């Protein structure tokens, strides 16, 4: 697994052109060195540690989505009163979950002494707290669909007012 992740990435246009037998197009496609991983000095091992680009990109996408959701939710008047000062927003929850997932992945690498796919730890560590926070706030459906206009309707219902 490590050997595959450490090899040089190739231009996808050239790879597809060669597989289709289009050598002219394959030669015309420029050589690109795609960054597919981050290498940094290992904390405990003294060697190099690797973090894939997807391990940063996927939680980053989720953090962007939750920041947008928090903004739209506040703008639409959803949520309880004084919620804009609330410490645990969906954005904060996603950042804490991603940090926890990376910590769990690091602990797993130290425990098993073999490389681990970090997303196995990052995805549950980010999605589960977001789901629980959404359920607690009564906004899980709106969080999943991104429909913040439904939040104000749900909150104004007499059966759900607190």
């Amino acid at each position: 697994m490590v050997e595959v992740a450490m090899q040089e990435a190739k231009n996808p246009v050239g790879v597809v052109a060669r597989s289709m037998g289009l050598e002219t197009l394959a030669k015309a496609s420029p050589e690109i060195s795609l960054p597919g991983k981050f290498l940094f000095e290992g904390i405990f091992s003294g060697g190099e540690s690797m973090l894939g680009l997807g391990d940063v990109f996927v939680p980053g996408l989720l953090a962007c989505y939750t920041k947008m959701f928090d903004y739209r939710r506040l703008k639409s008047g959803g949520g309880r009163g004084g919620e804009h000062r609330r410490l645990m927003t969906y954005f904060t929850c996603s950042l804490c979950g991603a940090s926890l997932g990376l910590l769990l992945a690091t602990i797993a690498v130290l425990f098993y002494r073999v490389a681990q796919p970090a997303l196995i730890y990052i995805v549950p560590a980010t999605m589960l707290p977001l789901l629980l926070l959404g359920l607690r706030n009564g906004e899980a459906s709106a969080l999943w669909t991104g429909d913040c206009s439904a939040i104000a309707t749900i909150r104004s219902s007499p059966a759900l007012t607190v």
Side-chain angles (χ1 to χ4, degrees):
M1 180 172 73
V2 175
E3 291 83 21
V4 172
M6 295 294 291
Q7 70 186 6
E8 187 70 25
K10 304 226 181 344
N11 186 347
V13 173
V15 172
V16 171
R18 278 188 201 85
S19 69
M20 295 176 65
L22 304 170
E23 288 301 320
T24 308
L25 182 61
K27 290 179 184 175
S29 65
E31 288 293 321
I32 309 173
S33 178
L34 302 173
K37 59 206 160 281
F38 295 112
L39 295 174
F40 49 93
E41 189 174 329
I43 298 170
F44 301 107
S45 64
E48 284 186 335
S49 294
M50 178 180 62
L51 188 63
L53 194 58
D55 301 333
V56 176
F57 181 72
V58 172
L61 264 177
L62 184 63
C64 289
Y65 174 76
T66 55
K67 184 68 172 174
M68 179 272 315
F69 185 80
D70 282 336
Y71 174 76
R72 289 180 59 199
R73 188 169 125 262
L74 183 64
K75 192 174 178 183
S76 71
R80 300 179 182 120
E83 197 162 340
H84 62 283
R85 294 190 186 128
R86 196 170 54 143
L87 178 65
M88 189 52 71
T89 61
Y90 291 106
F91 176 70
T92 307
C93 186
S94 70
L95 289 182
C96 291
S99 300
L100 176 67
L102 283 172
L103 179 66
L104 289 173
T106 303
I107 291 169
V109 167
L110 293 174
F111 182 74
Y112 291 113
R113 299 186 189 275
V114 69
Q116 299 285 316
L119 282 178
I120 289 177
Y121 303 96
I122 294 172
V123 170
T126 54
M127 295 304 291
L128 192 60
L130 281 175
L131 176 64
L132 293 175
L133 184 61
L135 288 171
R136 186 193 81 175
N137 294 339
E139 301 167 347
S141 176
L143 180 64
W144 185 259
T145 61
D147 185 18
C148 294
S149 62
I151 296 172
T153 308
I154 291 169
R155 292 287 185 211
S156 63
S157 170
L160 295 175
T161 53
V162 180

